[in-house]
Amino acid sequence: MKTLRALLSLFATILLLGTLGCQPTQTEVPQTAFPAPLVKKTYTDVIIGYAQLGAESEWRAANTTSIKETADQLGIELHFLDAQQNQDKQIEAVRKLIIQKVDLIGLSPIVETGWTEVFQEAKNAGIPILLVDRRASVQDDLYVTYLGSDFLEEGRNAARIMADLTGGKAKIVELVGTINSAPANDRYRGFREILVEYPDMEIIASETGDFTRARGREVMEKFLNQHGSEITAVYAHNDDMALGAITAIEAHGLRPGVDIKIVSVDAARGAFEAMIAGKLNATIECNPLLGPQFFETALKVINGETVPKWVPSEESIFFPYNAAEILPTRKY
Ligand code: AHR
């Protein structure tokens, strides 16, 4: 299959040279390991595979909807598999998509490591891997591009906002996302990068809440039982865990957003509702509506066009003062 594609590509190049009557310069040659088809494909010609990591949050639900709805709108045949929060199942999903001979595989890796072997299998089968939402620690040539947020900057912004909210003096508890996932790693690191500038801001406890509301609540209960009113701030790696923490704080007889300042990431509708109720102090946007950009980039890759190695998402930060005005415009 790979040889056939390579031959077709060579044939196409010879045809092109014949038409142009000149030698193309290096920059005119698409910089991709995957040869362009003879005739450019359109959305209705391609089969796209997607190995989603699961359904752990409001964010993830919006991400899945965006991918499925965009495929429907564009008339794309989408093979969508859900790994239910399990890396082995996600690897198995990629293998199934390879067997199904899809034209490209989109993937939000549940954790950063452990992908080299299966990505190499996809590459050997001539199927490009496009990372959506989360990065994977693999060699650059094993994926075509990463489409998603700057998680490190999200972590830095969370710390900057927390410093503003607390006047640079706080006892912080941190609800970390899924262990070894790209957003948890980077939000953890980015937050600390800024915190070193604030000697009176201290992280007194940090534990994973696995990006879910239920775990966020459980871990916050534990923090409150251990540290009580010593806690003045919560940094949650996503809105779901912040919402879980809010429930725990109220059950403990404290006022979330007032007695304990809370900053989280995602900017999902639930966070806006909490800000309107005065229970959350800020949310940093992480855009899950990646469907349109994903399929546009996928088609370019399939057609042998050059794409940047990272297509960053455009994102903002939201605060309670205008949350009521903005909420009706939010799509997730
Ligand atoms: O990878 C993005 C993160 O995953 C979101 O912040 C979180 O809500 C989701 O589960």
Side-chain angles (χ1 to χ4, degrees):
M1 185 62 176
K2 208 179 158 197
T3 324
L4 180 65
R5 284 194 193 189
L7 280 174
L8 288 177
S9 157
L10 180 67
F11 181 59
T13 311
I14 292 166
L15 272 183
L16 185 71
L17 290 179
T19 320
L20 298 177
C22 66
Q23 185 79 16
T25 64
Q26 192 58 30
T27 50
E28 287 171 318
V29 179
Q31 300 300 303
T32 167
F34 300 94
L38 268 182
V39 178
K40 274 202 184 273
K41 296 200 176 187
T42 66
Y43 287 126
T44 51
D45 301 323
V46 296
I47 303 176
I48 307 280
Y50 201 92
Q52 181 59 287
L53 67 87
E56 75 285 8
S57 60
E58 203 179 331
W59 189 101
R60 187 68 48 200
N63 179 243
T64 292
T65 304
S66 171
I67 285 159
K68 288 185 174 171
E69 280 183 1
T70 312
D72 267 3
Q73 284 157 10
L74 298 174
I76 291 174
E77 183 174 339
L78 173 69
H79 294 196
F80 186 94
L81 300 172
D82 179 345
Q84 300 164 334
Q85 252 66 48
N86 178 314
Q87 184 177 27
D88 289 340
K89 286 194 179 146
Q90 204 173 18
I91 290 174
E92 200 184 302
V94 174
R95 292 204 168 112
K96 272 191 194 149
L97 295 168
I98 295 173
I99 291 167
Q100 291 170 11
K101 293 189 168 41
V102 297
D103 293 290
L104 175 143
I105 297 172
L107 174 85
S108 306
I110 180 152
V111 290
E112 281 203 82
T113 51
W115 297 102
T116 300
E117 194 180 332
V118 74
F119 282 17
Q120 186 64 57
E121 289 169 27
K123 192 174 178 196
N124 294 347
I127 302 175
I129 295 274
L130 201 160
L131 296 177
V132 185
D133 155 44
R134 294 186 183 183
R135 291 181 190 277
S137 305
V138 289
Q139 265 179 220
D140 268 11
D141 63 334
L142 291 183
Y143 69 97
V144 282
T145 181
Y146 162 61
L147 180 66
S149 308
D150 187 341
F151 297 135
L152 205 56
E153 191 57 18
E154 289 170 354
R156 293 186 192 120
N157 282 332
R160 289 177 186 122
I161 293 163
M162 192 67 95
D164 261 13
L165 285 168
T166 60
K169 191 170 162 44
K171 298 268 188 212
I172 306 161
V173 294
E174 180 183 31
L175 293 165
V176 177
T178 300
I179 294 292
N180 192 27
S181 67
N185 289 345
D186 289 356
R187 288 172 191 167
Y188 181 98
R189 203 149 54 88
F191 192 76
R192 282 159 179 77
E193 271 182 25
I194 301 300
L195 226 60
V196 291
E197 297 164 22
Y198 298 91
D200 292 331
M201 290 177 75
E202 188 194 346
I203 300 170
I204 57 170
S206 172
E207 194 173 317
T208 182
D210 209 12
F211 282 131
T212 70
R213 201 168 295 200
R215 283 287 296 145
R217 180 182 178 164
E218 262 172 51
V219 177
M220 190 66 209
E221 272 164 10
K222 188 176 133 189
F223 287 160
L224 285 161
N225 289 333
Q226 283 169 348
H227 303 279
S229 52
E230 193 197 351
I231 301 168
T232 60
V234 173
Y235 167 39
H237 286 198
N238 82 343
D239 289 340
D240 282 81
M241 292 189 295
L243 296 175
I246 287 172
T247 314
I249 293 167
E250 286 179 324
H252 208 82
L254 293 166
R255 292 167 303 167
V258 182
D259 300 321
I260 298 181
K261 305 289 184 200
I262 309 175
V263 175
S264 67
V265 186
D266 277 356
R269 292 180 70 87
F272 279 83
E273 283 155 6
M275 287 197 292
I276 294 166
K279 298 177 183 181
L280 178 72
N281 303 90
T283 182
I284 295 145
E285 188 175 32
C286 175
N287 185 7
L289 308 177
L290 299 171
Q293 254 180 317
F294 167 57
F295 290 112
E296 192 190 332
T297 312
L299 194 64
K300 282 187 182 165
V301 170
I302 291 168
N303 280 325
E305 289 175 39
T306 304
V307 293
K309 207 65 193 175
W310 177 17
V311 184
S313 312
E314 279 177 26
E315 294 165 340
S316 318
I317 300 175
F318 299 98
F319 297 93
Y321 77 93
N322 60 353
E325 197 186 307
I326 293 175
L327 178 59
T329 68
R330 297 299 291 167
K331 295 201 173 65
Y332 69 98

